[in-house]
Amino acid sequence: MLEELKESVFKANLDLVDQGLVTLTWGNVSGIDREQGLVVIKPSGVPYDRMDPTQMVVVDLDGKRVEGDYNPSSDTPTHVLLYRQFQSIGGITHTHSSCAVMYAQARREIPCYGTTHADHFHGTVPLTRALTADEVEADYEGNTGRVIIERFAGIDAASMPAVLVAGHGPFSWGSTAQKSVENAVALEAVARMAMGMMQINSEATELESYVLDKHYQRKHGPTATYGQSSNTHLT
Amino acid sequence: MLEELKESVFKANLDLVDQGLVTLTWGNVSGIDREQGLVVIKPSGVPYDRMDPTQMVVVDLDGKRVEGDYNPSSDTPTHVLLYRQFQSIGGITHTHSSCAVMYAQARREIPCYGTTHADHFHGTVPLTRALTADEVEADYEGNTGRVIIERFAGIDAASMPAVLVAGHGPFSWGSTAQKSVENAVALEAVARMAMGMMQINSEATELESYVLDKHYQRKHGPTATYGQSSNTHLT
Amino acid sequence: MLEELKESVFKANLDLVDQGLVTLTWGNVSGIDREQGLVVIKPSGVPYDRMDPTQMVVVDLDGKRVEGDYNPSSDTPTHVLLYRQFQSIGGITHTHSSCAVMYAQARREIPCYGTTHADHFHGTVPLTRALTADEVEADYEGNTGRVIIERFAGIDAASMPAVLVAGHGPFSWGSTAQKSVENAVALEAVARMAMGMMQINSEATELESYVLDKHYQRKHGPTATYGQSSNTHLT
Amino acid sequence: MLEELKESVFKANLDLVDQGLVTLTWGNVSGIDREQGLVVIKPSGVPYDRMDPTQMVVVDLDGKRVEGDYNPSSDTPTHVLLYRQFQSIGGITHTHSSCAVMYAQARREIPCYGTTHADHFHGTVPLTRALTADEVEADYEGNTGRVIIERFAGIDAASMPAVLVAGHGPFSWGSTAQKSVENAVALEAVARMAMGMMQINSEATELESYVLDKHYQRKHGPTATYGQSSNTHLT
């Protein structure tokens, strides 16, 4: 079942590796079939170079395995909660990419300092609060999803397709599995550029809000002028 | 039309990727045929690994598409304005390469700290002012070109083949598309070295002006001693 | 003899190169056959691209060569002492990977700042004291092993599979040669992330201890939920 | 003539690229035939991917071309002066590798902070003084060699196989062209590690002198224990 989605989730997982965002097995991508309410996700701890599309695991929106011989990624409960809450999204990526993790560990959000950021994230990339001991004990992966959702109160997940989980690392999303990987790539680049910028000028200020709006809209707005009719793809 | 120029612009775009300056689709190279007043430029948002020379777009010096099935790069209005103003240049490259962007976001110029810089840029790499809200609203890409031109009042574009656009990133140019890529590569290296140098010694001073002149002239002056008769190429 | 172990130690040495942890010939991996009390280790100073499994050297637990035409790695005395002391380990890796060396040279331990760290190391990665002049003179490589063992008084080597030798660099270990390489990869990533985090927020604090415990246990505890039945592998 | 030396100098130039030390054409390696007093060096500005052994240029110890269709590297006068002064060396490498250039631009020497350094350089890597305007005017490349030689008064070039030219970058050398490349690789690694170390602990001190001596001697001393009979090679 869901052969096409499995193929695209499989490919998105490999793109994550090709883009240099994955060390060892630290990363996973999922995609959802909204009609059937089923999620396809990377199996847990399987090396990327021995993975094939048939190993992708199908789970329902409670995170229960519906098909597949492998255990789904240990982050599955976080993925399914985000799919339930953010109705517009079709794919989710989780990585431990270096610079995004540095911000997550430093417990700092990433303000918009330039147009690279504005092309992908419409404002400051948010940071969750830390989980409490009780939350970790009771349902760690589920509560990771819940603090993300809590932080997104009043934030549109469609125009802010990423978050930093405090002390952990980034989750990103998009209309497809592929797009969620692109946003993971953009987040890592944006985090690296923000760090370097602060090193050059620790008093540098945020990008003018009218430039932020212009860049975000020209790539994502209703009258987007970037790309071809079907918009941009990951290279 | 312009098959040879399309081929060289296509190759220059791929060189940009090979040199590690491009993330996703964030970069574009163009070249001009001065006799015909036509510019060949990368199509917008097309992945580099599926690109071929026939997809290169031909535009006139007003930025209007003359040939090609694809939309030209969204930065086309900036490119054509620079070609109109800087008569000596034959190619332009725009990237979001990390260290050059860090300087552009930090809103700092890059002084000449060493001979690597002096071999390519005859002095401090300039930074534009920020665009106003009105300029962004009225003609964002065109006005990006205009603030570059404004900043180059009194600066010779032939001996200073790069600029940082505030809050955005670098544009570079050269006698050909290929040379503009080489200058993009050099700018990124020079920005990285300047950052590291300041980390080691925050009071480091600029290169002696007579060494700057010597290095620039031995590579670019009328009696250049570097390279073979046809000068250097990108490796 | 020990053909299978030689093959796996050989492969683990190549993985070390593939993971980008090795410059020139600065790195070595060994594995032990506990039944026979014999250690297989990389030959000293042999380039990785001309190495084959038959060149692996077999030594006993006194470090004496039992089989092989080549000299064993100059760090052999350190390896065998660790095997004697840490009965649970099956493989050891030594590298001069950049960020781990930076901490070793800075003579600073690496506290647990995030879940990437917690997934592999159950607490602060320890640093040895410096060797005395007498210790260096008498038995440099042996005493390197002895200061590691001295530092591990009261520390469980199974849940803290790495150490920084002051002024030198990291040693890591694991249940197999392969696992020791994975821990070397994780240590380098964790060191890089810690450095970047301090750059963003020099007052950042350690990960909550209950998250550290949770992450460590979900990957390594008796009821580990990460990976498949046979746990994770290096990709 | 000198076909074997041309082949090894050609290969050493390619190794420089493989090791990631070269951007564009910024680097060159030479080797000397001491019996004939002839030096083989990379042609100036020729791209590495179109280079072949027959393009290597033969010059005498005055830097005059003896054989070859190409101009020798513009740094040839520096190379030949070093060969005349440092009788023990057989190969020289010049690069603009990032971290070594950062130190050269910062006008700071690189003290020995760890065993990676001690394995290759017996003490602080020295920095030249800046050239005067007259020296630049009169004979820039020759005087670059002369300030290196001036700085090495009282320093043994065999145990300190590298130097930083102020505001420019590193030169390294060794018993062969290949060994000079290895020392260029080691210098870049050592510079990177020193920078990172200072970021972690800005008051970190130098390696104990008895460890420096031990490491240097075990790799290079008369009773070296590292490597096989013919010592180590570049991988």
Side-chain angles (χ1 to χ4, degrees):
Chain A
M1 67 197 293
L2 299 173
E3 304 310 318
E4 213 169 316
L5 186 57
K6 278 180 191 166
E7 183 72 28
S8 80
V9 167
F10 169 70
K11 276 190 186 155
N13 273 288
L14 294 192
D15 278 335
L16 204 57
V17 177
D18 289 345
Q19 293 286 331
L21 296 195
V22 173
T23 301
L24 300 173
T25 58
W26 313 339
N28 48 69
V29 185
S30 69
I32 189 169
D33 182 308
R34 285 280 173 195
E35 238 167 80
Q36 304 191 47
L38 293 175
V39 171
V40 172
I41 192 163
K42 179 180 173 291
S44 180
V46 171
Y48 295 90
D49 58 355
R50 278 172 263 163
M51 214 165 66
D52 69 64
T54 67
Q55 294 168 337
M56 300 299 105
V57 186
V58 182
V59 299
D60 63 23
L61 280 167
D62 294 318
K64 267 200 226 150
R65 185 166 55 182
V66 172
E67 194 201 59
D69 298 330
Y70 289 83
N71 299 331
S73 164
S74 58
D75 298 304
T76 299
T78 314
H79 286 244
V80 296
L81 272 166
L82 296 182
Y83 282 123
R84 293 169 80 125
Q85 180 72 13
F86 302 150
Q87 289 293 326
S88 66
I89 72 176
I92 297 175
T93 294
H94 172 51
T95 78
H96 285 217
S97 69
S98 299
C99 297
V101 166
M102 291 168 191
Y103 271 91
Q105 291 190 168
R107 318 243 165 157
R108 290 278 167 87
E109 310 204 317
I110 311 177
C112 177
Y113 292 121
T115 63
T116 315
H117 186 121
D119 283 336
H120 295 86
F121 309 103
H122 197 194
T124 296
V125 176
L127 172 78
T128 69
R129 65 167 172 84
L131 275 71
T132 65
D134 284 350
E135 287 169 336
V136 167
E137 178 63 26
D139 178 12
Y140 176 60
E141 293 84 4
N143 283 324
T144 297
R146 285 179 200 103
V147 293
I148 295 173
I149 291 164
E150 179 187 314
R151 182 66 188 81
F152 268 68
I155 301 178
D156 173 21
S159 64
M160 181 47 65
V163 69
L164 302 170
V165 176
H168 188 157
F171 283 80
S172 62
W173 46 80
S175 57
T176 62
Q178 185 76 351
K179 290 284 178 193
S180 73
V181 172
E182 287 182 33
N183 285 327
V185 171
L187 181 64
E188 179 64 10
V190 156
R192 174 172 291 117
M193 288 167 178
M195 288 178 65
M197 183 206 71
M198 293 302 289
Q199 188 182 327
I200 297 168
N201 179 3
S202 61
E203 290 168 9
T205 53
E206 295 188 33
L207 187 67
E208 293 76 12
S209 62
Y210 50 86
V211 182
L212 164 58
D213 291 342
K214 174 71 184 178
H215 263 264
Y216 191 78
Q217 297 305 334
R218 89 171 181 172
K219 216 162 171 180
H220 304 281
T223 55
T225 57
Y226 185 89
Q228 310 302 327
S229 54
S230 65
N231 215 332
T232 179
H233 303 272
L234 186 70
T235 56
Chain B
M1 67 196 295
L2 298 173
E3 304 311 317
E4 212 170 317
L5 185 58
K6 278 180 190 166
E7 183 71 28
S8 81
V9 168
F10 169 71
K11 275 190 187 156
N13 273 287
L14 294 191
D15 279 335
L16 204 56
V17 177
D18 290 346
Q19 293 286 330
L21 296 195
V22 173
T23 301
L24 300 173
T25 59
W26 313 340
N28 48 70
V29 184
S30 69
I32 190 169
D33 181 309
R34 286 279 173 195
E35 238 167 78
Q36 303 191 46
L38 293 175
V39 171
V40 172
I41 192 163
K42 180 179 172 292
S44 180
V46 170
Y48 294 90
D49 57 356
R50 279 172 261 162
M51 213 165 67
D52 68 63
T54 68
Q55 295 169 336
M56 299 299 106
V57 187
V58 182
V59 299
D60 64 22
L61 280 168
D62 294 318
K64 267 200 228 148
R65 184 166 54 184
V66 171
E67 194 201 59
D69 299 330
Y70 290 83
N71 298 332
S73 164
S74 58
D75 298 306
T76 300
T78 315
H79 285 243
V80 296
L81 271 167
L82 297 183
Y83 282 123
R84 291 167 81 127
Q85 180 70 15
F86 302 150
Q87 290 293 324
S88 66
I89 73 176
I92 297 176
T93 294
H94 172 52
T95 79
H96 286 217
S97 69
S98 299
C99 297
V101 165
M102 291 168 190
Y103 271 91
Q105 292 191 168
R107 317 239 168 160
R108 290 279 168 86
E109 310 203 319
I110 311 176
C112 177
Y113 292 121
T115 62
T116 316
H117 186 122
D119 282 336
H120 295 86
F121 309 104
H122 197 193
T124 296
V125 177
L127 172 78
T128 68
R129 65 170 171 83
L131 273 73
T132 66
D134 284 351
E135 286 169 337
V136 167
E137 180 62 28
D139 177 13
Y140 176 60
E141 293 84 2
N143 283 325
T144 296
R146 284 178 201 103
V147 293
I148 295 173
I149 291 165
E150 180 186 315
R151 181 67 188 81
F152 268 69
I155 300 178
D156 173 22
S159 64
M160 180 48 64
V163 70
L164 302 170
V165 177
H168 187 156
F171 283 81
S172 63
W173 45 80
S175 56
T176 63
Q178 184 75 352
K179 290 284 178 192
S180 72
V181 172
E182 287 182 32
N183 286 326
V185 171
L187 181 64
E188 178 66 8
V190 155
R192 174 171 292 114
M193 287 167 178
M195 288 179 65
M197 182 206 70
M198 293 302 289
Q199 188 181 328
I200 297 167
N201 178 4
S202 62
E203 290 169 8
T205 53
E206 296 187 33
L207 187 67
E208 292 77 10
S209 62
Y210 50 84
V211 182
L212 164 57
D213 291 342
K214 174 69 183 179
H215 262 265
Y216 192 78
Q217 297 305 334
R218 89 171 180 172
K219 216 161 170 180
H220 303 282
T223 56
T225 56
Y226 185 88
Q228 310 302 327
S229 52
S230 65
N231 215 329
T232 179
H233 303 271
L234 187 69
T235 57
Chain C
M1 67 198 296
L2 299 172
E3 304 310 318
E4 213 170 316
L5 185 58
K6 279 180 191 165
E7 184 70 29
S8 81
V9 168
F10 168 71
K11 277 189 186 156
N13 273 288
L14 293 191
D15 278 335
L16 203 59
V17 177
D18 290 346
Q19 294 286 331
L21 296 195
V22 172
T23 301
L24 299 173
T25 58
W26 313 339
N28 48 69
V29 184
S30 69
I32 189 169
D33 181 309
R34 285 280 174 197
E35 238 167 81
Q36 303 191 46
L38 293 175
V39 172
V40 171
I41 192 163
K42 178 178 174 292
S44 179
V46 171
Y48 295 90
D49 59 355
R50 277 172 263 162
M51 214 166 65
D52 69 62
T54 66
Q55 294 168 337
M56 300 299 105
V57 186
V58 182
V59 298
D60 62 22
L61 280 167
D62 293 318
K64 267 201 226 149
R65 184 165 57 183
V66 172
E67 193 202 61
D69 299 330
Y70 290 82
N71 298 331
S73 164
S74 58
D75 298 304
T76 299
T78 314
H79 286 244
V80 296
L81 271 167
L82 297 182
Y83 283 122
R84 292 169 80 126
Q85 179 72 12
F86 302 150
Q87 289 293 324
S88 65
I89 72 177
I92 297 175
T93 294
H94 171 52
T95 79
H96 285 219
S97 70
S98 298
C99 297
V101 165
M102 291 168 191
Y103 271 91
Q105 292 189 168
R107 318 243 166 156
R108 290 279 168 87
E109 310 204 319
I110 310 177
C112 177
Y113 292 121
T115 63
T116 316
H117 186 122
D119 283 336
H120 295 85
F121 309 104
H122 198 193
T124 296
V125 176
L127 173 78
T128 68
R129 65 169 173 83
L131 273 72
T132 65
D134 283 350
E135 286 169 337
V136 168
E137 178 64 27
D139 177 14
Y140 176 61
E141 293 84 3
N143 284 324
T144 296
R146 284 179 200 104
V147 293
I148 294 173
I149 291 165
E150 177 186 315
R151 181 67 189 79
F152 269 67
I155 301 177
D156 173 20
S159 64
M160 181 48 64
V163 70
L164 301 170
V165 176
H168 187 158
F171 283 79
S172 62
W173 46 83
S175 57
T176 62
Q178 186 75 352
K179 290 284 179 193
S180 72
V181 171
E182 287 183 35
N183 286 326
V185 171
L187 181 64
E188 179 64 10
V190 155
R192 173 173 292 116
M193 288 168 177
M195 288 179 65
M197 183 206 69
M198 293 302 290
Q199 188 181 328
I200 297 168
N201 179 2
S202 61
E203 289 167 11
T205 53
E206 294 187 34
L207 187 67
E208 293 76 12
S209 62
Y210 51 85
V211 183
L212 163 57
D213 291 342
K214 175 70 184 176
H215 263 264
Y216 191 78
Q217 296 305 333
R218 88 171 182 173
K219 219 164 169 177
H220 304 280
T223 58
T225 58
Y226 185 89
Q228 310 301 328
S229 53
S230 64
N231 216 330
T232 180
H233 303 271
L234 187 71
T235 58
Chain D
M1 66 197 296
L2 299 172
E3 304 312 317
E4 212 170 317
L5 185 58
K6 279 180 189 165
E7 184 70 28
S8 80
V9 167
F10 167 71
K11 277 189 185 156
N13 274 286
L14 294 191
D15 279 335
L16 203 57
V17 176
D18 290 345
Q19 293 287 329
L21 295 196
V22 172
T23 302
L24 300 173
T25 58
W26 312 339
N28 47 68
V29 184
S30 68
I32 189 168
D33 181 310
R34 285 281 173 194
E35 236 167 81
Q36 303 192 44
L38 294 175
V39 171
V40 172
I41 192 164
K42 180 179 172 292
S44 180
V46 170
Y48 294 91
D49 58 354
R50 278 173 262 162
M51 215 167 63
D52 69 63
T54 67
Q55 294 168 338
M56 300 299 105
V57 186
V58 182
V59 299
D60 64 22
L61 280 167
D62 294 318
K64 270 201 222 147
R65 184 166 55 184
V66 170
E67 193 202 59
D69 298 331
Y70 290 83
N71 298 332
S73 164
S74 57
D75 298 305
T76 300
T78 314
H79 286 243
V80 295
L81 272 166
L82 297 182
Y83 282 123
R84 292 170 80 128
Q85 180 70 15
F86 302 150
Q87 290 293 324
S88 65
I89 72 177
I92 296 175
T93 294
H94 171 52
T95 79
H96 285 219
S97 69
S98 297
C99 297
V101 165
M102 291 168 191
Y103 272 91
Q105 292 190 168
R107 317 237 167 162
R108 289 279 168 88
E109 310 203 320
I110 310 176
C112 177
Y113 291 121
T115 63
T116 317
H117 186 122
D119 282 335
H120 295 86
F121 309 104
H122 197 193
T124 297
V125 176
L127 172 78
T128 69
R129 64 168 172 85
L131 274 72
T132 65
D134 284 349
E135 286 169 336
V136 168
E137 178 64 27
D139 177 12
Y140 177 59
E141 292 83 4
N143 283 324
T144 296
R146 283 177 202 105
V147 293
I148 295 173
I149 290 165
E150 179 186 316
R151 181 67 188 81
F152 268 67
I155 300 177
D156 173 22
S159 64
M160 180 48 64
V163 70
L164 302 170
V165 176
H168 187 155
F171 283 80
S172 62
W173 46 81
S175 57
T176 62
Q178 186 75 349
K179 290 284 178 192
S180 72
V181 171
E182 287 183 34
N183 286 327
V185 171
L187 181 64
E188 179 64 8
V190 155
R192 173 172 292 116
M193 289 168 178
M195 289 179 65
M197 182 206 71
M198 292 303 289
Q199 187 181 329
I200 298 168
N201 179 2
S202 60
E203 289 168 10
T205 52
E206 296 188 32
L207 186 67
E208 292 76 10
S209 62
Y210 51 85
V211 182
L212 164 57
D213 292 341
K214 175 69 185 179
H215 264 265
Y216 191 79
Q217 297 305 334
R218 89 172 180 172
K219 217 162 170 178
H220 304 280
T223 57
T225 57
Y226 186 87
Q228 309 303 328
S229 53
S230 65
N231 215 330
T232 180
H233 303 271
L234 188 69
T235 58

